[in-house]
Amino acid sequence: MFRNTRAALVCLSAILVSGCTNVPGSVTRAYEAPLTFHNYQNPELELQAQARALQNMADDLVRRATLRGAATGAVLGCGAALVTASGLKTCATGALVAGGAGSVVGYHQGKKQVADTVSAQMQDLDQHLAGLHGQTGRIAGDLPAVLAAQDAELARLKSDARAGRIPQATVAARIDEIRKARADIALALDHATADIITARATMAETSSRQSVDLLDQITLTRQLETDLYKARSAISLI
């Protein structure tokens, strides 16, 4: 019985050495800048496309906020538990019981690789937040001009309709187009704001669970939420 147990521990030691030194690297992809839409001749269509791109980026932020590659880097011998400080400590304890110095070396190498993974994912998160900030700024900068152009166009159309130069149906059709365009932009901004709020809550949980400092990132999401709220508030659904 003792021999079998000792043999199992020796075997586990070998697994721990290889397992703790082969933590998967970063599984996130590098940040990709949002598409530009200079092929659009109509600023209204371009703004709609930019808003949808922002919505997609915000949705992706929710996934990135988990630092999932660091959280689930399963260290053999440590199970599939989250790779946290306590989890790594458990791995080290197992290494000591199983086989001594060789396993401890494996533990420290594994710990370094986990730290490298966290660092890479933090950089990825920062780049994505920077992209979101830039995209939000573009929309906030373009939105007033687009809204003003729509209002001016409607004023001209209504004037022409009153003068009998165009039918009232033409005005109604354009009002419907503008209403749908504004609703599309507003909905994208609303969804993006909701995703950013969700991402912030996820970051707070990730920070607490994995002992990772995400205060700067959380602060930036608050600024993004404020900027999006201001942009959304400027849109009146005629």
Side-chain angles (χ1 to χ4, degrees):
M1 177 70 173
F2 176 76
R3 289 181 178 178
N4 290 341
T5 301
R6 188 173 186 278
L9 288 173
V10 171
C11 180
L12 179 59
S13 173
I15 294 175
L16 282 166
V17 171
S18 60
C20 287
T21 58
N22 288 288
V23 180
S26 173
V27 297
T28 61
R29 63 181 183 275
Y31 166 73
E32 297 176 359
L35 296 174
T36 55
F37 304 94
H38 299 302
N39 289 333
Y40 283 111
Q41 298 298 317
N42 187 336
E44 182 179 295
L45 294 178
E46 180 173 352
L47 186 61
Q48 287 178 262
Q50 292 285 7
R52 287 191 292 270
L54 175 73
Q55 180 182 341
N56 291 335
M57 292 171 69
D59 181 65
D60 195 31
L61 178 66
V62 176
R63 179 186 63 79
R64 292 170 189 262
T66 63
L67 299 183
R68 182 60 63 187
T72 59
V75 179
L76 227 56
C78 299
L82 297 179
V83 179
T84 60
S86 60
L88 286 170
K89 182 178 180 181
T90 301
C91 179
T93 303
L96 283 170
V97 171
S103 293
V104 174
V105 170
Y107 155 70
H108 285 297
Q109 290 176 344
K111 185 177 180 181
K112 180 181 183 301
Q113 289 189 7
V114 170
D116 289 345
T117 299
V118 172
S119 177
Q121 292 201 323
M122 288 280 285
Q123 182 178 8
D124 175 78
L125 180 61
D126 286 341
Q127 290 175 336
H128 196 71
L129 282 167
L132 265 168
H133 182 71
Q135 187 75 350
T136 300
R138 280 188 288 273
I139 291 171
D142 293 343
L143 182 61
V146 170
L147 296 177
Q150 290 174 339
D151 290 341
E153 180 186 2
L154 287 179
R156 289 193 302 271
L157 289 174
K158 290 176 180 179
S159 176
D160 288 343
R162 285 193 298 269
R165 289 187 290 270
I166 61 173
Q168 188 63 40
T170 300
V171 181
R174 182 58 183 139
I175 288 176
D176 189 54
E177 289 177 354
I178 292 176
R179 181 183 294 115
K180 289 179 179 177
R182 291 188 179 187
D184 183 52
I185 295 168
L187 185 62
L189 296 183
D190 286 341
H191 280 308
T193 301
D195 281 337
I196 286 171
I197 292 172
T198 299
R200 182 167 64 247
T202 301
M203 287 180 198
E205 181 183 354
T206 300
S207 179
S208 175
R209 187 179 63 241
Q210 299 185 45
S211 300
V212 177
D213 183 6
L214 293 174
L215 180 59
D216 289 344
Q217 291 80 1
I218 289 172
T219 300
L220 183 53
T221 63
R222 294 187 188 281
Q223 183 60 53
L224 285 169
E225 181 186 350
T226 298
D227 292 344
L228 286 173
Y229 177 76
K230 288 180 180 178
R232 172 63 180 84
S233 298
I235 302 173
S236 61
L237 302 179
I238 59 175

